[in-house]
Amino acid sequence: MSDKLQIVTIDGPSGVGKSTVSRLLAQRLGYTYLDTGAMYRAVAYACKKTGIDPGDEKGVASILENFNIDLQPPAQPDADVRVYLNSEEITRFLRTPEIGMMASKVSTLPVVRKKLTYLQRQIGQQGKIVAEGRDTGTVVFPNASWKFYLDASPEERARRRTEQLEQKGMKVNQASILQQIIKRDRDDSTRSLAPLKPADDAVIIDSSRMSAEDVVKVMLSHITLSK
Ligand code: DC
Protein backbone atom coordinates (compact mmCIF):
# COMPACT_ATOMS: atom_id res chain seq x y z
CA MET A 1 0.00 0.00 0.00
CA SER A 2 3.14 2.22 -0.01
CA ASP A 3 2.48 5.72 1.31
CA LYS A 4 -1.26 5.29 1.23
CA LEU A 5 -3.29 5.57 4.42
CA GLN A 6 -5.65 2.85 5.61
CA ILE A 7 -8.56 5.15 4.98
CA VAL A 8 -11.76 4.64 3.02
CA THR A 9 -13.44 7.77 1.65
CA ILE A 10 -17.08 7.89 0.63
CA ASP A 11 -18.26 11.08 -1.05
CA GLY A 12 -21.48 11.97 -2.78
CA PRO A 13 -24.51 14.25 -2.81
CA SER A 14 -27.02 14.67 0.00
CA GLY A 15 -29.48 11.89 0.74
CA VAL A 16 -27.56 9.26 -1.23
CA GLY A 17 -27.20 6.91 1.75
CA LYS A 18 -23.57 7.71 2.59
CA SER A 19 -24.15 7.62 6.35
CA THR A 20 -25.82 4.21 6.39
CA VAL A 21 -23.23 2.69 4.08
CA SER A 22 -20.29 4.31 5.91
CA ARG A 23 -21.54 3.12 9.29
CA LEU A 24 -22.03 -0.44 8.03
CA LEU A 25 -18.68 -0.52 6.26
CA ALA A 26 -16.84 0.85 9.31
CA GLN A 27 -18.44 -1.89 11.45
CA ARG A 28 -17.39 -4.61 8.99
CA LEU A 29 -13.81 -3.35 8.78
CA GLY A 30 -13.50 -2.49 12.49
CA TYR A 31 -12.66 1.09 11.46
CA THR A 32 -13.85 4.38 12.99
CA TYR A 33 -16.60 6.18 11.14
CA LEU A 34 -15.85 9.87 10.49
CA ASP A 35 -18.95 11.86 9.57
CA THR A 36 -17.49 15.11 8.20
CA GLY A 37 -20.96 16.50 7.39
CA ALA A 38 -21.77 16.42 11.11
CA MET A 39 -18.89 18.85 11.65
CA TYR A 40 -20.26 21.32 9.09
CA ARG A 41 -23.68 20.88 10.67
CA ALA A 42 -22.19 21.69 14.09
CA VAL A 43 -20.87 25.01 12.73
CA ALA A 44 -24.34 25.72 11.31
CA TYR A 45 -25.91 24.89 14.66
CA ALA A 46 -23.54 27.30 16.43
CA CYS A 47 -24.56 30.02 13.93
CA LYS A 48 -28.22 29.41 14.63
CA LYS A 49 -27.70 29.44 18.37
CA THR A 50 -25.72 32.69 18.37
CA GLY A 51 -27.78 34.40 15.66
CA ILE A 52 -24.79 34.72 13.32
CA ASP A 53 -25.58 34.67 9.59
CA PRO A 54 -23.94 31.58 8.01
CA GLY A 55 -22.65 33.80 5.19
CA ASP A 56 -20.93 36.25 7.57
CA GLU A 57 -17.30 35.11 7.40
CA LYS A 58 -16.11 37.30 10.30
CA GLY A 59 -18.96 36.17 12.53
CA VAL A 60 -18.41 32.51 11.68
CA ALA A 61 -14.66 32.92 12.26
CA SER A 62 -15.44 34.11 15.79
CA ILE A 63 -17.45 30.91 16.37
CA LEU A 64 -14.46 28.84 15.23
CA GLU A 65 -12.19 30.46 17.82
CA ASN A 66 -14.04 28.56 20.51
CA PHE A 67 -15.05 25.41 18.65
CA ASN A 68 -14.16 22.25 20.52
CA ILE A 69 -15.88 19.44 18.71
CA ASP A 70 -15.87 15.84 19.83
CA LEU A 71 -17.37 13.01 17.75
CA GLN A 72 -18.32 9.84 19.59
CA PRO A 73 -19.57 6.52 18.18
CA PRO A 74 -23.37 6.22 17.82
CA ALA A 75 -25.36 5.07 20.86
CA GLN A 76 -26.88 2.24 18.74
CA PRO A 77 -25.38 0.67 15.60
CA ASP A 78 -27.86 2.43 13.29
CA ALA A 79 -27.96 5.81 15.08
CA ASP A 80 -26.13 9.04 14.24
CA VAL A 81 -22.61 9.81 15.41
CA ARG A 82 -22.86 11.69 18.74
CA VAL A 83 -21.63 15.25 18.46
CA TYR A 84 -20.46 17.37 21.39
CA LEU A 85 -19.72 21.04 20.93
CA ASN A 86 -17.87 22.67 23.83
CA SER A 87 -19.04 19.73 25.98
CA GLU A 88 -22.75 20.15 25.09
CA GLU A 89 -24.33 17.23 23.23
CA ILE A 90 -25.97 18.69 20.11
CA THR A 91 -26.62 15.47 18.13
CA ARG A 92 -30.41 15.80 18.15
CA PHE A 93 -30.36 19.31 16.64
CA LEU A 94 -28.22 18.52 13.61
CA ARG A 95 -30.31 16.38 11.25
CA THR A 96 -32.95 18.91 10.24
CA PRO A 97 -33.35 20.22 6.66
CA GLU A 98 -32.78 23.78 8.00
CA ILE A 99 -29.40 22.91 9.53
CA GLY A 100 -28.51 21.01 6.32
CA MET A 101 -29.08 24.13 4.21
CA MET A 102 -27.16 26.31 6.69
CA ALA A 103 -24.30 23.77 6.74
CA SER A 104 -24.10 23.94 2.96
CA LYS A 105 -23.82 27.74 3.25
CA VAL A 106 -21.09 27.82 5.92
CA SER A 107 -19.19 25.13 4.01
CA THR A 108 -18.39 27.65 1.24
CA LEU A 109 -16.34 29.81 3.65
CA PRO A 110 -12.55 29.32 3.42
CA VAL A 111 -12.13 29.81 7.18
CA VAL A 112 -14.54 26.94 7.86
CA ARG A 113 -13.06 24.56 5.29
CA LYS A 114 -9.54 25.20 6.53
CA LYS A 115 -10.40 24.53 10.16
CA LEU A 116 -12.56 21.45 9.58
CA THR A 117 -10.13 19.92 7.07
CA TYR A 118 -7.37 20.33 9.67
CA LEU A 119 -9.49 18.67 12.38
CA GLN A 120 -10.49 15.82 10.03
CA ARG A 121 -6.87 15.12 9.12
CA GLN A 122 -5.98 15.01 12.81
CA ILE A 123 -8.69 12.42 13.39
CA GLY A 124 -7.49 10.43 10.37
CA GLN A 125 -3.75 10.50 11.02
CA GLN A 126 -3.70 7.03 12.60
CA GLY A 127 -5.64 5.54 9.67
CA LYS A 128 -8.36 2.89 10.00
CA ILE A 129 -11.22 5.25 9.33
CA VAL A 130 -14.16 5.42 6.97
CA ALA A 131 -14.58 9.11 6.15
CA GLU A 132 -17.80 10.35 4.62
CA GLY A 133 -18.56 13.74 3.03
CA ARG A 134 -18.17 15.79 -0.14
CA ASP A 135 -14.40 16.26 -0.41
CA THR A 136 -12.88 13.46 1.67
CA GLY A 137 -11.34 11.71 -1.36
CA THR A 138 -10.39 14.87 -3.28
CA VAL A 139 -9.10 17.24 -0.59
CA VAL A 140 -9.04 15.86 2.95
CA PHE A 141 -7.44 12.47 2.31
CA PRO A 142 -6.02 12.44 -1.22
CA ASN A 143 -3.79 9.52 -0.15
CA ALA A 144 -6.64 7.31 1.02
CA SER A 145 -6.30 3.70 -0.10
CA TRP A 146 -9.90 3.24 -1.17
CA LYS A 147 -12.14 5.96 -2.56
CA PHE A 148 -15.79 5.67 -3.46
CA TYR A 149 -18.29 8.11 -4.90
CA LEU A 150 -21.94 7.24 -4.29
CA ASP A 151 -24.63 8.58 -6.57
CA ALA A 152 -28.40 8.16 -7.02
CA SER A 153 -31.15 10.09 -8.78
CA PRO A 154 -32.45 13.20 -6.95
CA GLU A 155 -35.96 11.64 -6.80
CA GLU A 156 -34.70 8.48 -5.11
CA ARG A 157 -32.62 10.52 -2.69
CA ALA A 158 -35.62 12.71 -1.80
CA ARG A 159 -37.65 9.55 -1.17
CA ARG A 160 -34.97 8.09 1.12
CA ARG A 161 -34.40 11.36 3.00
CA THR A 162 -38.16 11.79 3.57
CA GLU A 163 -38.39 8.25 4.94
CA GLN A 164 -35.39 8.85 7.21
CA LEU A 165 -36.81 12.09 8.64
CA GLU A 166 -40.25 10.54 9.12
CA GLN A 167 -38.66 7.70 11.06
CA LYS A 168 -37.24 10.36 13.37
CA GLY A 169 -40.76 11.69 13.93
CA MET A 170 -40.41 14.80 11.73
CA LYS A 171 -43.24 15.92 9.46
CA VAL A 172 -41.81 16.62 6.01
CA ASN A 173 -42.96 17.21 2.47
CA GLN A 174 -41.20 15.08 -0.16
CA ALA A 175 -41.59 17.71 -2.91
CA SER A 176 -39.86 20.38 -0.84
CA ILE A 177 -37.15 17.90 0.22
CA LEU A 178 -36.54 17.27 -3.51
CA GLN A 179 -36.24 21.02 -4.15
CA GLN A 180 -33.75 21.36 -1.26
CA ILE A 181 -31.72 18.41 -2.52
CA ILE A 182 -31.50 19.91 -6.01
CA LYS A 183 -30.44 23.27 -4.58
CA ARG A 184 -27.89 21.74 -2.18
CA ASP A 185 -26.42 19.59 -5.02
CA ARG A 186 -26.03 22.69 -7.16
CA ASP A 187 -24.49 24.77 -4.35
CA ASP A 188 -22.17 22.00 -3.15
CA SER A 189 -20.89 21.13 -6.61
CA THR A 190 -20.46 24.63 -8.02
CA ARG A 191 -18.65 26.27 -5.08
CA SER A 192 -15.07 27.25 -5.79
CA LEU A 193 -13.50 25.55 -2.75
CA ALA A 194 -13.51 21.75 -2.49
CA PRO A 195 -16.60 21.26 -4.66
CA LEU A 196 -18.50 18.01 -4.59
CA LYS A 197 -17.03 15.78 -7.32
CA PRO A 198 -15.61 12.28 -7.59
CA ALA A 199 -11.85 11.94 -7.05
CA ASP A 200 -10.10 10.85 -10.26
CA ASP A 201 -9.28 7.52 -8.62
CA ALA A 202 -12.69 6.94 -6.99
CA VAL A 203 -14.93 3.98 -7.78
CA ILE A 204 -18.33 5.42 -8.74
CA ILE A 205 -21.37 3.48 -7.53
CA ASP A 206 -24.92 4.35 -8.56
CA SER A 207 -27.01 3.18 -5.63
CA SER A 208 -30.44 4.13 -7.09
CA ARG A 209 -31.47 0.47 -7.29
CA MET A 210 -29.21 -1.00 -4.64
CA SER A 211 -29.75 -1.63 -0.94
CA ALA A 212 -27.18 -0.34 1.55
CA GLU A 213 -26.03 -3.96 2.07
CA ASP A 214 -25.46 -4.38 -1.68
CA VAL A 215 -23.38 -1.19 -1.80
CA VAL A 216 -21.28 -2.36 1.16
CA LYS A 217 -20.70 -5.71 -0.59
CA VAL A 218 -19.42 -3.95 -3.71
CA MET A 219 -17.14 -1.75 -1.61
CA LEU A 220 -15.78 -4.69 0.36
CA SER A 221 -14.98 -6.51 -2.88
CA HIS A 222 -12.80 -3.58 -3.98
CA ILE A 223 -11.20 -3.29 -0.56
CA THR A 224 -10.24 -6.95 -0.28
CA LEU A 225 -9.02 -7.04 -3.86
CA SER A 226 -6.53 -4.25 -3.32
CA LYS A 227 -5.47 -4.99 0.27
O1 DC B 1 -23.49 15.17 4.53
P1 DC B 1 -24.37 16.22 5.18
O2 DC B 1 -25.73 16.37 4.56
O3 DC B 1 -24.45 16.06 6.66
O4 DC B 1 -23.57 17.61 4.91
C1 DC B 1 -24.12 18.88 5.22
C2 DC B 1 -23.46 19.95 4.37
O5 DC B 1 -22.09 20.11 4.79
C3 DC B 1 -23.38 19.68 2.87
O6 DC B 1 -24.49 20.20 2.18
C4 DC B 1 -22.11 20.36 2.44
C5 DC B 1 -21.26 20.38 3.67
N1 DC B 1 -20.17 19.39 3.64
C6 DC B 1 -19.02 19.76 2.95
O7 DC B 1 -18.97 20.82 2.36
N2 DC B 1 -17.95 18.92 2.95
C7 DC B 1 -17.99 17.73 3.56
N3 DC B 1 -16.90 16.95 3.54
C8 DC B 1 -19.16 17.33 4.25
C9 DC B 1 -20.26 18.18 4.25
Side-chain angles (χ1 to χ4, degrees), residues 11 14 18 35-38 40-41 95 100 103-104 107 113 120 132-136 161 184 188 191:
D11 292 307
S14 47
K18 295 186 301 291
D35 179 357
T36 63
Y40 288 91
R41 284 173 185 264
R95 296 276 142 204
S104 179
S107 75
R113 297 220 73 86
Q120 289 154 17
E132 173 228 316
R134 304 291 187 289
D135 63 340
T136 62
R161 187 43 62 89
R184 203 132 74 86
D188 290 347
R191 68 184 180 215

